Amino acid sequence: MTEAALEPRYAELVEHKPVERFLRMFLVSSRRADELILISPIIGTLKGVSVSMERLAARINRDRIRTYVITNEPEHSSHRGAIAILSRSDYTEIRFNASLHAKVYVCRYHDGGFALLGSGNLTATSIEKRIEVGILLHSRGRGADLVRELSEWGTVRLRTLSKLHKRMIPARRA
Amino acid sequence: MDFKEWFCLDGRESFTIDAKIYPADARFYFGRDEIKARLKAQIRRAFVDPGTPKMIIYGSFGSGKTQTLFHLHHYLLNELSGVAFKPHTVHLDLEMQSKSDHADWHLQLMEAVGKDTVSSWVNNLFNQVPNLEQELEGLFRDHNLAESTKNLRGGGDIPFLAWRWLCGYKLTASDLERLQVTRSLGDLGAGDMVKALVGMGHLAERNEEKLVFLMDEAEQFNNVRTGDATESLHNYIRKLSEPSNSSTGFIIAGFSLTIDDMPEMLYRVDVRTRIGENNYVEIPPLPTVNDVQTFLRELLSELVDHKRAEKRIVKEKLQVSLETYPLTADAFDLLSDFASQDPAKSLPRNAIRALNECAISAWDEQKPIVGTDIVNEIAPLIFG
């Protein structure tokens, strides 16, 4: 018997490139995610980072993952470029919220998932050049409830406060 | 006007029901009257014979097992009547790894009950009886268990040491001596620890309470890979299921598509015969379109403020009835139809999801009601 049985470790502090860590966890996993939530005031094409926006979008399309993106209205070319890449997918919904400051990333599987709550935007600058920190939550013990609550906050409450830019395009019923 | 006001929601932000996020949602149990009635009847009967509920609930992800557990928790605390004791329910999510064994399970259960609760039971008993030691010996039928439990009333660090002992930690020889016990709990195997748990149940009864564990995520037992660990867990549940345990109840919920898929230790024949076949209850998907409609109708009836909705319907001459608001009758039927097409996806979680998504879509377009156009766009995303 171990102390770990008492309180499974569900949260870890990530001091080195937390956003990249989240993206890698999502991409490396062989499991098909049910849902991906990307909440970041600024989003970039992630050029020069090990995980590019193109690669992220390709995975979303391959696995048909319902993806919710909430960000500020794009002002810079990299932000607009990222929105353009994500907009090409039928499985992404994109919303704008001018008041958004939170950075939250959630990956949900049918039996759990993981989430990152921290300071980093979804940009190459944030990943490569900035000192960022985040808390990575796993669906273990109390972490499961936290991941669930973040998902609910992102996919329901925050969405209804944000302006729809691009909706998901489902297959029409025959 | 925000989203909840737009759809006249009654004190909530969305159409989501989730007792883990909103504890008051435990009172809801929609569209499953037969299962609800069966579970409640079995629980009431169990308090008579064998004396406490022992049940296993299973079903697919999203079928409502967790909501069932929360609802039973609510039922035990707020609605159950005509039983001798007040249920003392302890809700926990199980956590198992590859080498987790009966000691890990025992620790989770004990910590879920909590040292403060057990200490208060001991203190209350002390105030009622002339000889606490004798009383505890009678409840636990084991000197070491009685001694450690008595020590929860001690001074200094003795109560914490006693709690660690009851939780199954291996203590040093000097700590054992301080507690005046001859061995660590669990030295004699899983049965030793079950004896502690059953004794706790008797202690609760002396305080006019009935200890019932509500354990979720039982599929975690599938993480256990070592043979010895699995056998020790099996021994633990087997002994807890014994007819002689009439004091400590459990309702265990976990993912399993059929009874054969559940962790083998839970349905091995010696456990099944002790628990009773009728105490293995499946929470299936919503089987027919009528069931989906009943589920949605009951959900909408609870979540929507009917007074406000009615005012809006009249004021804006909306083509919708109160019964299906904010969906039109056609949209309601269409959504129910979509939801019941594939039995594997006909799950409460998906139905709630689809309802929320349709409402968000209507909100985006500033439409006061959800029509078939929105359902046709959204439902395939959820139900395929």
Side-chain angles (χ1 to χ4, degrees), chain B residues 102-103 105-106 109-110 139-140 145 166 185-186 188-202 211 213 232-242 244-245 247-248 250:
Chain B
H102 68 282
W105 194 359
H106 181 78
L109 293 176
M110 288 298 292
L139 292 178
F140 286 93
L145 283 166
L166 287 165
L185 185 68
L188 302 181
D192 215 17
M193 290 183 165
V194 171
K195 212 169 173 182
L197 211 61
V198 172
M200 291 292 153
H202 287 307
L211 181 58
F213 287 99
S232 80
L233 290 165
H234 167 248
N235 282 336
Y236 195 88
I237 185 65
R238 190 172 137 266
K239 287 182 190 297
L240 204 55
S241 309
E242 292 279 3
S244 55
N245 168 26
S247 67
T248 301
F250 58 84

Side-chain angles (χ1 to χ4, degrees), chain B residues 35 70 76 91 103 110 124 163 195 197 229 275 309-310 334 337 373 376:
Chain B
I35 292 176
F70 273 98
L76 286 165
H91 198 127
M110 288 298 292
N124 287 343
W163 184 249
K195 212 169 173 182
L197 211 61
I275 288 176
E310 196 171 23
L334 184 62
D337 198 13
D373 54 333
N376 265 319

Side-chain angles (χ1 to χ4, degrees), chain B residues 148-160:
Chain B
S148 277
T149 307
K150 186 193 81 179
N151 278 322
L152 290 174
R153 292 196 71 247
D157 64 343
I158 288 290
F160 294 97

